[in-house]
Amino acid sequence: MTTYIAEFKAAHKTIQILQHSVFTWKQEGGEIDPELLQGKIKRESSIHFYNLLAGEKHNVTLEDISVEITKTAPFNG
């Protein structure tokens, strides 16, 4: 099992704040699948970030969030 780190930017379609962060995960060797990683980031990080910002004002859904992965690398931290 290898640990990886990704730098990413997430945007919500109506909340005008950009999430610029890093995300770590473990996977068996092999290529990183960007689409699977984007989904994982949305479910495990961005949805919580935007729910925190929105409070009860907005109903935040995964479909409202887009994720751009800018870098990935093995992580030994």
Side-chain angles (χ1 to χ4, degrees):
M1 199 61 106
T2 303
T3 302
Y4 292 91
I5 189 166
E7 178 186 25
F8 71 93
K9 296 176 189 173
H12 187 273
K13 72 178 188 178
T14 59
I15 299 171
Q16 299 300 306
I17 296 174
L18 185 67
Q19 179 189 17
H20 188 181
S21 191
V22 295
F23 182 81
T24 59
W25 76 103
K26 291 184 180 191
Q27 74 175 42
E28 294 295 331
E31 302 254 343
I32 297 169
D33 183 332
E35 286 185 31
L36 288 175
L37 179 55
Q38 288 169 337
K40 190 169 184 65
I41 291 170
K42 284 181 187 183
R43 289 187 308 278
E44 297 179 23
S45 178
S46 297
I47 191 86
H48 304 292
F49 176 81
Y50 286 110
N51 273 321
L52 180 66
L53 289 175
E56 296 181 13
K57 295 177 186 176
H58 296 286
N59 181 26
V60 178
T61 66
L62 293 175
E63 293 77 27
D64 296 338
I65 301 168
S66 61
V67 172
E68 175 189 352
I69 299 165
T70 53
K71 292 182 199 174
T72 59
F75 181 66
N76 296 317

